[in-house]
Amino acid sequence: MALSKRLLALYEMVEKGSIAADIGCDHAQLSIALVENGICPHVYACDLREQPLARAKEAIQAAGLSDRVTARLRNGIENLERDVSTVIIAGMGVETILTILSSHPEQLQENRRFIIQANLHVEKLRHWISENHFTIEKEVLVEEDHFYEIVCFSCRCHDSYSEQEQLFGAVMPKDALFERCWQQRRDKLEAILKQLPPQHIKRNELEQRKEMIERQLSNK
């Protein structure tokens, strides 16, 4: 089965030879592809709920990969296997992702890379990365219905990221889709501002955000 653009982008961020844990694996398409194509020798396909995990098990068995893709009923990154070097968390809200990451700090180890795709408000993820002095290694934009931002970070120590970097990304501005993505977001923000009364509680914040976007786009 061919991967969607979003799943393909996640797939391409995984280092060859790494052992991965796919958190919230759904139908295990990504887990299966990583093993089938020789990127990972082993993947743990994990989900919090029995029903999605049952579907994942069926797909893994149908692919003949039960010996190399292990289905795990797991709450986030709790009790990760020691050999896991790449953690993938995708297709969730940013608050859920931050809860998963923050609930088990013992799993945030220097020898692990975390590949994260939050559905919205990725700046909150980067703020958390900055506060923890972690290192953003890679970032990529994917256009599929709308723009998805994928962030790969490691737990190596790094200086805090600026407000600009938290909003737009440490390396994301180099992405070929960056300008179009943020032009679209600016246009949506302008449309919202036109509908807001002058004294609306959110108006000042949204105007500041729009100014930041326009400054960033003018620097491209």
PDB file of all heavy atoms in Angstrom, residues 11 17 42 49 71 73 89 96 105 129 135 141-142 144 153-154 159 163 173 181 201 209:
ATOM      1  N   TYR A  11       8.300   8.792   7.095  1.00  0.00           N
ATOM      2  CA  TYR A  11       9.142   7.653   6.703  1.00  0.00           C
ATOM      3  C   TYR A  11      10.542   8.135   6.320  1.00  0.00           C
ATOM      4  O   TYR A  11      11.552   7.553   6.724  1.00  0.00           O
ATOM      5  CB  TYR A  11       8.453   6.952   5.534  1.00  0.00           C
ATOM      6  CG  TYR A  11       9.252   5.913   4.791  1.00  0.00           C
ATOM      7  CD1 TYR A  11       9.129   4.568   5.105  1.00  0.00           C
ATOM      8  CD2 TYR A  11      10.098   6.273   3.740  1.00  0.00           C
ATOM      9  CE1 TYR A  11       9.839   3.603   4.410  1.00  0.00           C
ATOM     10  CE2 TYR A  11      10.809   5.328   3.044  1.00  0.00           C
ATOM     11  CZ  TYR A  11      10.683   3.993   3.374  1.00  0.00           C
ATOM     12  OH  TYR A  11      11.399   3.050   2.683  1.00  0.00           O
ATOM     13  N   GLY A  17      18.513   1.827   9.746  1.00  0.00           N
ATOM     14  CA  GLY A  17      19.139   1.021  10.780  1.00  0.00           C
ATOM     15  C   GLY A  17      18.628   1.276  12.180  1.00  0.00           C
ATOM     16  O   GLY A  17      19.018   0.575  13.120  1.00  0.00           O
ATOM     17  N   HIS A  42      13.546  -3.411  13.071  1.00  0.00           N
ATOM     18  CA  HIS A  42      12.412  -3.740  13.946  1.00  0.00           C
ATOM     19  C   HIS A  42      11.655  -2.454  14.285  1.00  0.00           C
ATOM     20  O   HIS A  42      12.263  -1.396  14.463  1.00  0.00           O
ATOM     21  CB  HIS A  42      12.883  -4.411  15.238  1.00  0.00           C
ATOM     22  CG  HIS A  42      11.788  -5.174  15.933  1.00  0.00           C
ATOM     23  ND1 HIS A  42      11.673  -6.539  15.867  1.00  0.00           N
ATOM     24  CD2 HIS A  42      10.738  -4.755  16.688  1.00  0.00           C
ATOM     25  CE1 HIS A  42      10.610  -6.933  16.560  1.00  0.00           C
ATOM     26  NE2 HIS A  42      10.036  -5.868  17.064  1.00  0.00           N
ATOM     27  N   ARG A  49      -5.309   2.134  22.512  1.00  0.00           N
ATOM     28  CA  ARG A  49      -6.615   1.477  22.489  1.00  0.00           C
ATOM     29  C   ARG A  49      -6.547   0.107  21.826  1.00  0.00           C
ATOM     30  O   ARG A  49      -5.794  -0.108  20.885  1.00  0.00           O
ATOM     31  CB  ARG A  49      -7.624   2.366  21.758  1.00  0.00           C
ATOM     32  CG  ARG A  49      -7.885   3.701  22.446  1.00  0.00           C
ATOM     33  CD  ARG A  49      -8.623   4.659  21.534  1.00  0.00           C
ATOM     34  NE  ARG A  49      -7.825   4.992  20.356  1.00  0.00           N
ATOM     35  CZ  ARG A  49      -8.323   5.493  19.240  1.00  0.00           C
ATOM     36  NH1 ARG A  49      -9.628   5.695  19.131  1.00  0.00           N
ATOM     37  NH2 ARG A  49      -7.538   5.783  18.225  1.00  0.00           N
ATOM     38  N   ALA A  71       3.404  -5.391  17.853  1.00  0.00           N
ATOM     39  CA  ALA A  71       2.287  -4.552  18.287  1.00  0.00           C
ATOM     40  C   ALA A  71       2.290  -4.469  19.815  1.00  0.00           C
ATOM     41  O   ALA A  71       2.383  -5.482  20.500  1.00  0.00           O
ATOM     42  CB  ALA A  71       0.973  -5.133  17.791  1.00  0.00           C
ATOM     43  N   LEU A  73       0.322  -2.593  23.205  1.00  0.00           N
ATOM     44  CA  LEU A  73      -0.671  -1.743  23.858  1.00  0.00           C
ATOM     45  C   LEU A  73       0.106  -0.866  24.835  1.00  0.00           C
ATOM     46  O   LEU A  73       0.701  -1.364  25.791  1.00  0.00           O
ATOM     47  CB  LEU A  73      -1.698  -2.598  24.597  1.00  0.00           C
ATOM     48  CG  LEU A  73      -2.932  -1.860  25.116  1.00  0.00           C
ATOM     49  CD1 LEU A  73      -3.785  -1.358  23.958  1.00  0.00           C
ATOM     50  CD2 LEU A  73      -3.759  -2.780  26.011  1.00  0.00           C
ATOM     51  N   ILE A  89       5.657  10.239  16.686  1.00  0.00           N
ATOM     52  CA  ILE A  89       4.338  10.582  17.220  1.00  0.00           C
ATOM     53  C   ILE A  89       3.697  11.509  16.203  1.00  0.00           C
ATOM     54  O   ILE A  89       4.181  12.620  15.977  1.00  0.00           O
ATOM     55  CB  ILE A  89       4.424  11.268  18.596  1.00  0.00           C
ATOM     56  CG1 ILE A  89       5.301  10.474  19.568  1.00  0.00           C
ATOM     57  CG2 ILE A  89       3.019  11.466  19.177  1.00  0.00           C
ATOM     58  CD1 ILE A  89       5.515  11.166  20.906  1.00  0.00           C
ATOM     59  N   THR A  96      -1.982  16.903  23.275  1.00  0.00           N
ATOM     60  CA  THR A  96      -1.845  15.466  23.541  1.00  0.00           C
ATOM     61  C   THR A  96      -0.390  15.038  23.405  1.00  0.00           C
ATOM     62  O   THR A  96       0.140  14.285  24.239  1.00  0.00           O
ATOM     63  CB  THR A  96      -2.723  14.659  22.559  1.00  0.00           C
ATOM     64  OG1 THR A  96      -4.080  15.017  22.747  1.00  0.00           O
ATOM     65  CG2 THR A  96      -2.558  13.160  22.776  1.00  0.00           C
ATOM     66  N   PRO A 105       9.581  11.778  31.396  1.00  0.00           N
ATOM     67  CA  PRO A 105      10.874  12.419  31.098  1.00  0.00           C
ATOM     68  C   PRO A 105      12.033  11.438  31.056  1.00  0.00           C
ATOM     69  O   PRO A 105      13.051  11.713  30.409  1.00  0.00           O
ATOM     70  CB  PRO A 105      11.032  13.439  32.232  1.00  0.00           C
ATOM     71  CG  PRO A 105      10.117  12.967  33.321  1.00  0.00           C
ATOM     72  CD  PRO A 105       8.980  12.302  32.626  1.00  0.00           C
ATOM     73  N   ILE A 129      10.295  22.353  23.213  1.00  0.00           N
ATOM     74  CA  ILE A 129      11.659  21.932  22.870  1.00  0.00           C
ATOM     75  C   ILE A 129      12.665  22.970  23.367  1.00  0.00           C
ATOM     76  O   ILE A 129      13.700  22.633  23.955  1.00  0.00           O
ATOM     77  CB  ILE A 129      11.793  21.738  21.338  1.00  0.00           C
ATOM     78  CG1 ILE A 129      10.974  20.526  20.882  1.00  0.00           C
ATOM     79  CG2 ILE A 129      13.262  21.579  20.931  1.00  0.00           C
ATOM     80  CD1 ILE A 129      10.845  20.402  19.363  1.00  0.00           C
ATOM     81  N   THR A 135      17.386  19.903  20.899  1.00  0.00           N
ATOM     82  CA  THR A 135      17.914  20.345  19.609  1.00  0.00           C
ATOM     83  C   THR A 135      17.002  19.950  18.455  1.00  0.00           C
ATOM     84  O   THR A 135      16.710  18.763  18.283  1.00  0.00           O
ATOM     85  CB  THR A 135      19.314  19.732  19.356  1.00  0.00           C
ATOM     86  OG1 THR A 135      20.197  20.120  20.415  1.00  0.00           O
ATOM     87  CG2 THR A 135      19.893  20.204  18.023  1.00  0.00           C
ATOM     88  N   LEU A 141       7.890  20.613   5.644  1.00  0.00           N
ATOM     89  CA  LEU A 141       6.483  20.919   5.394  1.00  0.00           C
ATOM     90  C   LEU A 141       5.924  19.926   4.389  1.00  0.00           C
ATOM     91  O   LEU A 141       6.605  19.552   3.428  1.00  0.00           O
ATOM     92  CB  LEU A 141       6.336  22.329   4.824  1.00  0.00           C
ATOM     93  CG  LEU A 141       6.207  23.487   5.813  1.00  0.00           C
ATOM     94  CD1 LEU A 141       6.442  24.809   5.096  1.00  0.00           C
ATOM     95  CD2 LEU A 141       4.843  23.481   6.477  1.00  0.00           C
ATOM     96  N   VAL A 142       4.687  19.520   4.607  1.00  0.00           N
ATOM     97  CA  VAL A 142       3.991  18.622   3.686  1.00  0.00           C
ATOM     98  C   VAL A 142       2.635  19.241   3.363  1.00  0.00           C
ATOM     99  O   VAL A 142       1.912  19.666   4.271  1.00  0.00           O
ATOM    100  CB  VAL A 142       3.775  17.219   4.309  1.00  0.00           C
ATOM    101  CG1 VAL A 142       3.049  16.308   3.332  1.00  0.00           C
ATOM    102  CG2 VAL A 142       5.109  16.612   4.718  1.00  0.00           C
ATOM    103  N   GLU A 144      -0.933  18.381   2.110  1.00  0.00           N
ATOM    104  CA  GLU A 144      -1.884  17.300   1.848  1.00  0.00           C
ATOM    105  C   GLU A 144      -3.207  17.721   2.497  1.00  0.00           C
ATOM    106  O   GLU A 144      -3.376  17.567   3.699  1.00  0.00           O
ATOM    107  CB  GLU A 144      -1.373  15.977   2.432  1.00  0.00           C
ATOM    108  CG  GLU A 144      -2.182  14.761   2.019  1.00  0.00           C
ATOM    109  CD  GLU A 144      -1.606  13.480   2.593  1.00  0.00           C
ATOM    110  OE1 GLU A 144      -1.535  13.349   3.842  1.00  0.00           O
ATOM    111  OE2 GLU A 144      -1.213  12.628   1.798  1.00  0.00           O
ATOM    112  N   PHE A 153      13.466  16.240  16.589  1.00  0.00           N
ATOM    113  CA  PHE A 153      14.393  16.789  17.577  1.00  0.00           C
ATOM    114  C   PHE A 153      15.105  15.670  18.323  1.00  0.00           C
ATOM    115  O   PHE A 153      14.633  14.533  18.386  1.00  0.00           O
ATOM    116  CB  PHE A 153      13.662  17.715  18.568  1.00  0.00           C
ATOM    117  CG  PHE A 153      12.805  17.034  19.591  1.00  0.00           C
ATOM    118  CD1 PHE A 153      13.326  16.629  20.814  1.00  0.00           C
ATOM    119  CD2 PHE A 153      11.456  16.789  19.346  1.00  0.00           C
ATOM    120  CE1 PHE A 153      12.538  16.000  21.777  1.00  0.00           C
ATOM    121  CE2 PHE A 153      10.654  16.167  20.291  1.00  0.00           C
ATOM    122  CZ  PHE A 153      11.201  15.767  21.515  1.00  0.00           C
ATOM    123  N   SER A 154      16.259  16.012  18.842  1.00  0.00           N
ATOM    124  CA  SER A 154      16.987  15.107  19.724  1.00  0.00           C
ATOM    125  C   SER A 154      17.073  15.753  21.100  1.00  0.00           C
ATOM    126  O   SER A 154      16.802  16.955  21.252  1.00  0.00           O
ATOM    127  CB  SER A 154      18.391  14.830  19.181  1.00  0.00           C
ATOM    128  OG  SER A 154      19.218  15.982  19.326  1.00  0.00           O
ATOM    129  N   ASP A 159      20.921  25.791  23.008  1.00  0.00           N
ATOM    130  CA  ASP A 159      20.437  27.070  23.527  1.00  0.00           C
ATOM    131  C   ASP A 159      18.950  27.221  23.213  1.00  0.00           C
ATOM    132  O   ASP A 159      18.435  26.602  22.271  1.00  0.00           O
ATOM    133  CB  ASP A 159      21.198  28.228  22.885  1.00  0.00           C
ATOM    134  CG  ASP A 159      22.657  28.281  23.315  1.00  0.00           C
ATOM    135  OD1 ASP A 159      22.978  27.711  24.378  1.00  0.00           O
ATOM    136  OD2 ASP A 159      23.473  28.879  22.580  1.00  0.00           O
ATOM    137  N   GLU A 163      11.754  33.553  19.716  1.00  0.00           N
ATOM    138  CA  GLU A 163      10.312  33.545  19.450  1.00  0.00           C
ATOM    139  C   GLU A 163      10.047  33.326  17.961  1.00  0.00           C
ATOM    140  O   GLU A 163       9.124  32.606  17.580  1.00  0.00           O
ATOM    141  CB  GLU A 163       9.687  34.864  19.907  1.00  0.00           C
ATOM    142  CG  GLU A 163       8.168  34.916  19.769  1.00  0.00           C
ATOM    143  CD  GLU A 163       7.578  36.235  20.207  1.00  0.00           C
ATOM    144  OE1 GLU A 163       8.343  37.145  20.576  1.00  0.00           O
ATOM    145  OE2 GLU A 163       6.327  36.366  20.177  1.00  0.00           O
ATOM    146  N   PRO A 173      12.252  27.638   7.468  1.00  0.00           N
ATOM    147  CA  PRO A 173      12.192  28.673   6.434  1.00  0.00           C
ATOM    148  C   PRO A 173      12.922  28.318   5.140  1.00  0.00           C
ATOM    149  O   PRO A 173      12.679  28.946   4.111  1.00  0.00           O
ATOM    150  CB  PRO A 173      12.837  29.890   7.132  1.00  0.00           C
ATOM    151  CG  PRO A 173      12.505  29.699   8.570  1.00  0.00           C
ATOM    152  CD  PRO A 173      12.635  28.209   8.771  1.00  0.00           C
ATOM    153  N   CYS A 181       3.018  28.417   2.286  1.00  0.00           N
ATOM    154  CA  CYS A 181       2.322  28.044   3.520  1.00  0.00           C
ATOM    155  C   CYS A 181       2.007  29.272   4.367  1.00  0.00           C
ATOM    156  O   CYS A 181       0.861  29.470   4.804  1.00  0.00           O
ATOM    157  CB  CYS A 181       3.182  27.053   4.311  1.00  0.00           C
ATOM    158  SG  CYS A 181       2.598  26.718   5.994  1.00  0.00           S
ATOM    159  N   ILE A 201     -10.794  40.907  22.577  1.00  0.00           N
ATOM    160  CA  ILE A 201      -9.686  40.530  23.464  1.00  0.00           C
ATOM    161  C   ILE A 201      -8.505  39.894  22.712  1.00  0.00           C
ATOM    162  O   ILE A 201      -7.355  39.994  23.136  1.00  0.00           O
ATOM    163  CB  ILE A 201     -10.206  39.582  24.580  1.00  0.00           C
ATOM    164  CG1 ILE A 201      -9.146  39.388  25.651  1.00  0.00           C
ATOM    165  CG2 ILE A 201     -10.648  38.233  23.984  1.00  0.00           C
ATOM    166  CD1 ILE A 201      -9.656  38.687  26.893  1.00  0.00           C
ATOM    167  N   ARG A 209       0.807  38.736  15.601  1.00  0.00           N
ATOM    168  CA  ARG A 209       1.161  37.529  14.846  1.00  0.00           C
ATOM    169  C   ARG A 209       1.251  37.836  13.350  1.00  0.00           C
ATOM    170  O   ARG A 209       2.177  37.405  12.678  1.00  0.00           O
ATOM    171  CB  ARG A 209       0.123  36.436  15.111  1.00  0.00           C
ATOM    172  CG  ARG A 209       0.266  35.164  14.292  1.00  0.00           C
ATOM    173  CD  ARG A 209       1.539  34.398  14.609  1.00  0.00           C
ATOM    174  NE  ARG A 209       1.608  33.987  15.979  1.00  0.00           N
ATOM    175  CZ  ARG A 209       1.162  32.813  16.447  1.00  0.00           C
ATOM    176  NH1 ARG A 209       0.624  31.944  15.627  1.00  0.00           N
ATOM    177  NH2 ARG A 209       1.285  32.515  17.722  1.00  0.00           N
TER     178      ARG A 209
END
